[in-house]
Amino acid sequence: MSRQVILALTAGEPAGIGPELCLQMALEERSPGIVVVACKHLLQDRARLLGLDLELQDWNPGGRAATAAGRLSVMHVEGLASTDAGKLDPGNSAYVLETLRTAARGCLDGLFDGMVTAPVHKGVINDAGIAFSGHTEFLQELCGVERVVMMLATDELRVALVTTHLPLKDVAAAITPERLTQVIRILDADLRKFFGLEHPRILVAGLNPHAGEGGHLGREEIDVIEPTLDGLRQQGIALTGPLPADTLFTPYWLDRADAVLAMYHDQGLPVLKFQGFGRAVNITLGLPVVRTSVDHGTALDLAGTGKADAGSLKTAIRVGEQMATSAKRETFE
Ligand SMILES: NC(=O)c1ccc[n+]([C@@H]2O[C@H](COP(=O)([O-])OP(=O)(O)OC[C@H]3O[C@@H](n4cnc5c(N)ncnc54)[C@H](O)[C@@H]3O)[C@@H](O)[C@H]2O)c1
Ligand SMILES: N[C@H](C(=O)O)[C@H](O)COP(=O)(O)O
């Protein structure tokens, strides 16, 4: 019998909706084993607040994780300062990052087959004096890899990003031939590895309006993007572009592609979230571990109300299980 797929699920910002979304996962039977990596007192408090009758079981590393309705396996993490829903506390930030380290190390050590993350609050972590721009960059550093790629996906659309969490004024300088080459190679390789695409077709957006209008509205397309794409095409990667970003997201182009590569966060993600907010997954490609996440933030306004929708977390778990299974298959082939 093949070993159970076990995903670590970090509960994210304690004041946000992450803890209650994790608890919601216990309400139904599920196929992968889920181990919530969080403070168990936080989960108990939130379950009490919402009137959820659940059995939280301490997980034995190496053992099976609960999959039955009504039960949830928990790996306790110490250090939580406060458990108030909706009220950020910088004193919780070190604990939040410890949950991420615990889950990622558990993946690297083979205890977990992948990790799924509930949302963290980037601002409060920085308010605690800890530089943090997102899970993506944090896990890249923790795993010691030079480049990773953020990709958000629904069943109909995949959007990957060349740059992630940086101020808009710094974007153009960050789009170098080296970065673009690394990002496209990772995207192409992981679309093959995890999504069964034999020859992924990637649409690449330009950076400037109208993809630079022949150099009259910016030269990044001519100086950086086109030559880089030409070099990668010669290596067999199926790339179309640079295309004007405003008309790239239309059925004509999307019907001819497996993924879109946007140059920056708010060029690609508003389109993806308009199309599928609440049922999309955020995937970090290029890591030595499987990592998926929700498409939304901490929603402090909803925390503790039980009204948060768990659709995106369910997608993140489903895709995480699928990716972990593909990764295992590749290891044994
Ligand atoms: N994966 C992550 O860790 C992640 C992702 C996005 C944003 N964030 C962080 O979250 C914080 C808050 O960000 P924001 O306010 O821009 O976005 P947000 O997603 O928290 O909230 C935007 C709106 O969507 C609603 N919403 C969000 N999730 C919902 C859900 N599951 N069900 C129903 N409604 C939901 C909120 O109530 C709010 O009205 C920021 O610090 C941001 O960096 C984290
Ligand atoms: N860029 C993501 C989004 O808008 O959904 C979000 O900030 C989460 O990023 P990390 O996975 O790097 O925390």
Side-chain angles (χ1 to χ4, degrees), residues 122 134-137 150 152 165 265 269 273 282 291 295:
K122 301 174 188 57
H135 290 92
T136 307
E137 300 83 355
M150 183 187 294
L152 272 77
H165 296 123
H265 192 278
L269 296 193
K273 293 191 184 186
N282 173 355
R291 183 264 169 163
D295 64 3

